[in-house]
Amino acid sequence: MWLAWFGPLFQRLGSVILSPEGDGLKNTFTFVWQVVHGDSYTEFSGMNAPFGEHICYTDGHPWLAALMQATGPWSTEQALAVLNGFTLLSVPLSALAFFMLFRTFGERRLARALPAAIALSFMQPAVMRLGGHYALNHVWMFVGCWALLRVARSLARPQGAFIALFLLQSLAWFTHAYLGAMSSGFVLLVSGFEAAHRRTWRFAVPAWISLCSVALFRGFIAVTDRHEGRIEHPTGFWRGHGELQDWVVPVVGPMRSLVDGLGRVSLTWEASAYIGVGTMAVLVGLAVRRRGAGVGQYEVLAAMALGLVALGLPWRWVPEALEALPVFKQFRAVGRFAWPLAAVAGVAAFGAVRNRPWLLRLLVVSWLVEGGAVLRMASTWSAPSPFLDQTLPVPPDVHAILPLPFTHYGSEAHSLPRREEAMRVATVVAQATGIPMMAANLTRVAVPEARAQLAQFGRPGGTRFGLPLDAPVWVVRSSEPLRDHEARRFLDRPDSVRTPLPVEGCTDAYRWEPARWDSREWVEGPEIWSEEFEGLPGGCWSGSPQGQIPIARIPCDSLPPGRYAVSTWWSTTEPGGFNNRFAWQLMRGKRKVAWAFPEEAVTFNAAWCESVTEFDHRNGVQPGLDLVLAAGPHHNAELHLHRITLRRVSPKPPPDRTLPLTPWR
């Protein structure tokens, strides 16, 4: 089945992309850029220019990219072929790892172990990551660590197995942090439970090995990461945890069709860890007959402990307890920690029926049918590679690409959602020219860097707060509509001077001088109304915002028709404590008139932030306008509101379009 669906891709690995949008495009680009254009083993410079990003935050297979950098040079097509081949081979590598694991349980019969290993590899939740999170697809690393742990237990001299276990765990960490956490966490828990139960430290050696691999990874980042201000309170922990239905209801396949026929079930994509109807039937049979599973009790306990983490427990019950283990906040999709539970459940089911041929055949067939449905769907995601095999004309002395519409989807604290076509055009142009882009897509950008980018390009009337780039940039325009403030600032050039690039979706490309960056497109009038609260302790409102909080009533009954701007000046001691679920809203009754996300509209002045939202006022509408602070749950940081102002805004006369917009050929 795998060969039938993916085999043809091996004939053209360098000319296809496994998933052409979102995560797939970005994770392909981070790898091929690093291999072809990267000038550092630890820094990725292809996005978020001029800051770049640490390689371990890019989902870019850091160890494999470093190996290819050291053995290069490589072309884009060659780098793409290596990435695609390694990603596709993750499925047979997982089958091989399960086969070796079955042998540690005493199963020597090839006719039973091999088909079951292949079918179980199809069932792994990581298979869905063929659609974008390529590094996460290597579940064979976790299964291999489990097998090595069992091998080490059976040897009188396990030193060699321990060394292999350390190396494989470290490899998992430097492939993807979640893979490393699953592998090290499982081994640590199995070894820790056994050592505690047997009351001897002799069984704790694998636990120390796991801690050493964690220390290696964390130490590497501590020494090499030069980006300050990483977000401390990401909200993904609260949005990416799983529920029990994520384990018993599939995303696709025949069982999903049956479930949908009975009633729609909502699933969390990041938490999907479906174990399969065949596995569930065997486990229920074991429970009814009160028979033990075919795996060790410590392995079951370790998998269950990780399953609780995947459910967000116990922190969902006692959120304050998360402060005792803040490292878990950094795993913004904790639902993935159910993947070891899915693997253990499958191995337990195999162990229970391996000596009952007909039951084993039914189990394997169920895995092939349900897992095959996922593989079949994943095989349809591939598309021709968007990357070019030709050179592009580049204007002189440009230091970065500025994609329009602009995207900076990298920090939960400050983000501007991506536009798919703009990101694809910018990605293709960047890879073809070696010029980095200022946009960021699905990387983990430090908060001050995200602020600097969005203060300049994410709000009306940008300012170069903290953006250390004084050289010209290359505006690359896609056909998608610009945001209002972008359209006022980057006027479409006449057809006579447009210079679109030979990239699908690109409508124009031109050099942009930094002298134009600080120009404002709208002129603000004097204050019409304001409330100032500097004299009050902590401002007019202080606290950790939760839900909808009415702040002030803005009088509009005497305003003439026109466009107005409401500014809210606020401060917080922990900027990373807020995220893209926090917004200032203007409400007229129950209707939302306008809103401002801090990441989209903020000018930073020392410790104060100014969020600006604009609205159009007409005669005959309700006179009052309510300013409402809306925030999602689980905020730890406190916010203080100091001042609210209302101004009239009017368009600035168009600038001279000739000097900075002269065409280049």
Side-chain angles (χ1 to χ4, degrees):
M1 296 169 69
W2 175 81
L3 282 175
W5 292 327
F6 293 101
L9 295 182
F10 281 90
Q11 300 176 8
R12 46 193 177 92
L13 285 175
S15 60
V16 296
I17 185 171
L18 298 181
S19 181
E21 297 180 350
D23 283 319
L25 177 63
K26 170 264 193 178
N27 290 333
T28 301
F29 172 67
T30 54
F31 179 80
V32 298
W33 169 282
Q34 189 69 8
V35 171
V36 177
H37 302 298
D39 56 3
S40 167
Y41 291 115
T42 61
E43 281 294 311
F44 168 72
S45 58
M47 291 183 182
N48 195 39
F51 303 105
E53 181 56 288
H54 191 276
I55 188 64
C56 289
Y57 289 97
T58 64
D59 289 349
H61 293 75
W63 69 268
L64 183 58
L67 179 63
M68 294 187 67
Q69 282 180 271
T71 57
W74 301 79
S75 67
T76 297
E77 183 177 1
Q78 291 170 328
L80 184 58
V82 171
L83 176 64
N84 288 339
F86 186 53
T87 301
L88 293 176
L89 286 175
S90 63
V91 178
L93 285 173
S94 296
L96 178 61
F98 276 117
F99 177 74
M100 300 303 296
L101 180 62
F102 290 159
R103 292 181 67 85
T104 69
F105 284 96
E107 182 54 70
R108 304 292 178 180
R109 290 162 290 193
L110 184 66
R112 295 186 182 182
L114 186 58
I118 293 173
L120 187 55
S121 70
F122 291 0
M123 281 297 299
Q124 297 313 295
V127 171
M128 292 292 291
R129 270 50 190 184
L130 285 170
H133 275 127
Y134 306 131
L136 272 175
N137 206 57
H138 298 281
V139 72
W140 59 269
M141 295 182 182
F142 157 72
V143 181
C145 288
W146 184 8
L148 285 172
L149 175 62
R150 293 185 62 86
V151 168
R153 285 175 173 176
S154 65
L155 296 177
R157 296 179 178 271
Q159 291 86 346
F162 285 154
I163 293 174
L165 180 61
F166 171 76
L167 293 176
L168 187 54
Q169 284 190 54
S170 301
L171 188 70
W173 277 106
F174 284 97
T175 301
H176 198 288
Y178 278 92
L179 279 178
M182 292 174 202
S183 304
S184 294
F186 183 77
V187 172
L188 176 66
L189 289 170
V190 171
S191 178
F193 285 145
E194 185 171 14
H197 184 249
R198 296 179 182 271
R199 298 183 180 180
T200 173
W201 288 106
R202 182 170 64 88
F203 296 99
V205 174
W208 288 109
I209 290 174
S210 297
L211 293 175
C212 287
S213 67
V214 174
L216 174 65
F217 180 72
R218 298 281 295 177
F220 174 79
I221 292 180
V223 171
T224 59
D225 185 11
R226 59 178 178 81
H227 303 268
E228 298 181 356
R230 299 284 183 189
I231 187 168
E232 297 179 359
H233 304 286
T235 61
F237 181 89
W238 303 105
R239 291 184 290 174
H241 63 72
E243 304 288 350
L244 291 178
Q245 64 260 29
D246 294 305
W247 303 353
V248 297
V249 178
V251 176
V252 296
M255 282 302 298
R256 183 56 192 260
S257 301
L258 178 61
V259 171
D260 286 344
L262 299 175
R264 189 69 179 173
V265 176
S266 177
L267 300 177
T268 302
W269 163 256
E270 292 290 6
S272 177
Y274 179 58
I275 64 176
V277 66
T279 301
M280 286 188 283
V282 173
L283 296 182
V284 169
L286 291 175
V288 170
R289 300 182 64 179
R290 297 184 179 181
R291 290 183 53 191
V295 297
Q297 59 179 330
Y298 308 118
E299 294 157 330
V300 172
L301 287 173
M304 292 177 64
L306 290 175
L308 291 176
V309 173
L311 295 176
L313 301 176
W315 300 286
R316 289 167 64 184
W317 297 333
V318 188
E320 295 78 13
L322 190 59
E323 299 305 319
L325 289 170
V327 67
F328 280 103
K329 294 181 183 180
Q330 299 304 320
F331 291 98
R332 294 185 281 186
V334 290
R336 296 172 184 168
F337 284 103
W339 293 6
L341 181 63
V344 170
V347 173
F350 170 78
V353 302
R354 62 180 176 143
N355 293 319
R356 300 187 175 195
W358 281 105
L359 289 178
L360 179 59
R361 292 189 186 103
L362 289 175
L363 179 63
V364 170
V365 168
S366 73
W367 288 345
L368 289 174
V369 171
E370 294 196 279
V374 178
L375 273 181
R376 179 70 183 89
M377 182 182 68
S379 69
T380 65
W381 293 332
S382 63
S385 168
F387 299 113
L388 304 177
D389 56 1
Q390 65 183 93
T391 59
L392 295 177
V394 180
D397 192 33
V398 291
H399 289 244
I401 293 171
L402 175 60
L404 291 179
F406 188 66
T407 289
H408 208 276
Y409 196 55
S411 168
E412 284 190 354
H414 304 281
S415 294
L416 194 62
R418 70 175 180 265
R419 301 286 180 86
E420 291 290 351
E421 185 181 72
M423 282 306 304
R424 179 182 53 78
V425 170
T427 297
V428 172
V429 174
Q431 186 63 28
T433 60
I435 301 175
M437 70 177 83
M438 303 184 75
N441 181 30
L442 297 167
T443 55
R444 205 158 185 179
V445 174
V447 172
E449 298 169 7
R451 286 180 182 172
Q453 297 279 15
L454 291 167
Q456 173 61 52
F457 299 116
R459 63 159 310 216
T463 174
R464 268 187 293 167
F465 171 84
L467 191 60
L469 182 61
D470 294 323
V473 298
W474 192 15
V475 172
V476 175
R477 177 82 162 83
S478 77
S479 63
E480 292 169 309
L482 299 180
R483 300 174 180 88
D484 288 344
H485 70 272
E486 292 173 331
R488 295 195 297 265
R489 187 176 187 187
F490 298 94
L491 302 176
D492 281 336
R493 303 198 303 170
D495 292 340
S496 60
V497 297
R498 288 193 182 187
T499 54
L501 299 171
V503 178
E504 182 182 359
C506 180
T507 60
D508 200 1
Y510 54 88
R511 175 187 169 112
W512 182 261
E513 300 292 342
R516 297 280 317 267
W517 285 15
D518 291 328
S519 62
R520 301 181 67 92
E521 318 80 29
W522 287 73
V523 178
E524 292 185 353
E527 291 183 5
I528 300 173
W529 170 89
S530 68
E531 287 193 15
E532 299 191 29
F533 307 94
E534 285 98 343
L536 298 179
C540 70
W541 188 92
S542 296
S544 299
Q546 305 281 336
Q548 300 274 337
I549 304 171
I551 298 295
R553 170 64 64 92
I554 301 174
C556 300
D557 50 341
S558 60
L559 295 181
R563 190 169 184 86
Y564 296 86
V566 175
S567 298
T568 51
W569 290 84
W570 52 278
S571 64
T572 176
T573 57
E574 296 184 74
F578 299 99
N579 51 69
N580 53 17
R581 302 179 72 190
F582 162 52
W584 299 100
Q585 297 178 352
L586 294 179
M587 307 287 292
R588 184 169 280 129
K590 294 184 178 181
R591 186 173 70 87
K592 187 190 302 182
V593 175
W595 54 91
F597 295 101
E599 61 270 17
E600 293 183 2
V602 63
T603 300
F604 294 85
N605 179 12
W608 280 29
C609 311
E610 179 195 15
S611 291
V612 182
T613 181
E614 298 179 358
F615 69 97
D616 293 311
H617 179 67
R618 302 185 303 274
N619 289 327
V621 298
Q622 185 174 336
L625 199 62
D626 294 317
L627 177 66
V628 176
L629 171 58
H634 309 301
H635 289 290
N636 296 295
E638 286 197 348
L639 179 140
H640 309 291
L641 178 60
H642 302 280
R643 186 182 182 199
I644 309 169
T645 63
L646 175 68
R647 297 174 182 268
R648 179 86 181 256
V649 293
S650 56
K652 186 178 180 179
D656 181 8
R657 295 158 57 132
T658 57
L659 179 60
L661 302 180
T662 50
W664 52 269
R665 297 292 180 187

